[in-house]
Amino acid sequence: MNLSKPTFQEPALFTCELTVRVSDLNYGYHLGNDRIVGLMHEARMQFLNTFGYTEMNIEGCGLILRDLSVVLKKEMFYGDVLMVEIAVPEWSSTGFKIEYRFTRKEEGKPVTTALAHTTMVCFDYEKRKPIRVPEVL
């Protein structure tokens, strides 16, 4: 899996709502580029939790983030309710790619505000090395 410009491949496997908080704003009074990473993390945790998993335990395997990429398409402001969709379009023997699409309602229609992806690697934290993706995934 190579780091590339984020896209979003249907179908979405999970959707959640997150609200832009005042602490997410930068000096331009919009969502800071560093804060989108925190929102991605929150959405990923909620996604994993729907299956009873955490980043530290998926059938005995942990996850570690190898890379991420974000394209901000529109400003996001305090109080914006964002729909975050997650897809998992690519797998390897030791990891997978998660794609994120952030949208908000603007004038009655969804507006994509950001696209992002992360490459997650299955990781043995005791041995400090990558491991194979559990068969259950």
Side-chain angles (χ1 to χ4, degrees), residues 4-54:
S4 60
K5 187 174 180 178
T7 60
F8 191 84
Q9 297 180 42
E10 304 286 351
L13 300 176
F14 176 78
T15 302
C16 66
E17 287 186 5
L18 299 175
T19 302
V20 177
R21 304 164 304 168
V22 71
S23 60
D24 294 327
L25 304 181
N26 64 16
Y27 55 82
Y29 301 107
H30 57 244
L31 180 70
N33 57 12
D34 58 327
R35 298 305 180 137
I36 194 87
V37 176
L39 295 175
M40 292 164 59
H41 192 190
E42 178 63 31
R44 185 171 61 248
M45 289 297 294
Q46 288 187 28
F47 171 60
L48 292 171
N49 278 291
T50 64
F51 300 101
Y53 299 134
T54 68

Side-chain angles (χ1 to χ4, degrees), residues 21-113:
R21 304 164 304 168
V22 71
S23 60
D24 294 327
L25 304 181
N26 64 16
Y27 55 82
Y29 301 107
H30 57 244
L31 180 70
N33 57 12
D34 58 327
R35 298 305 180 137
I36 194 87
V37 176
L39 295 175
M40 292 164 59
H41 192 190
E42 178 63 31
R44 185 171 61 248
M45 289 297 294
Q46 288 187 28
F47 171 60
L48 292 171
N49 278 291
T50 64
F51 300 101
Y53 299 134
T54 68
E55 289 182 331
M56 295 304 291
N57 188 4
I58 298 177
E59 303 298 323
C61 148
L63 292 178
I64 194 166
L65 187 139
R66 187 183 88 186
D67 62 48
L68 68 88
S69 182
V70 178
V71 172
L72 298 169
K73 297 174 124 344
K74 287 203 155 273
E75 292 177 296
M76 292 165 267
F77 300 98
Y78 173 73
D80 281 350
V81 177
L82 306 173
M83 297 297 295
V84 186
E85 296 170 280
I86 288 181
V88 184
E90 290 183 33
W91 294 83
S92 73
S93 61
T94 59
F96 51 94
K97 177 178 169 181
I98 299 176
E99 293 181 336
Y100 308 77
R101 177 169 53 197
F102 290 78
T103 60
R104 68 178 152 95
K105 296 280 184 180
E106 185 176 273
E107 299 174 9
K109 62 182 180 186
V111 174
T112 299
T113 56

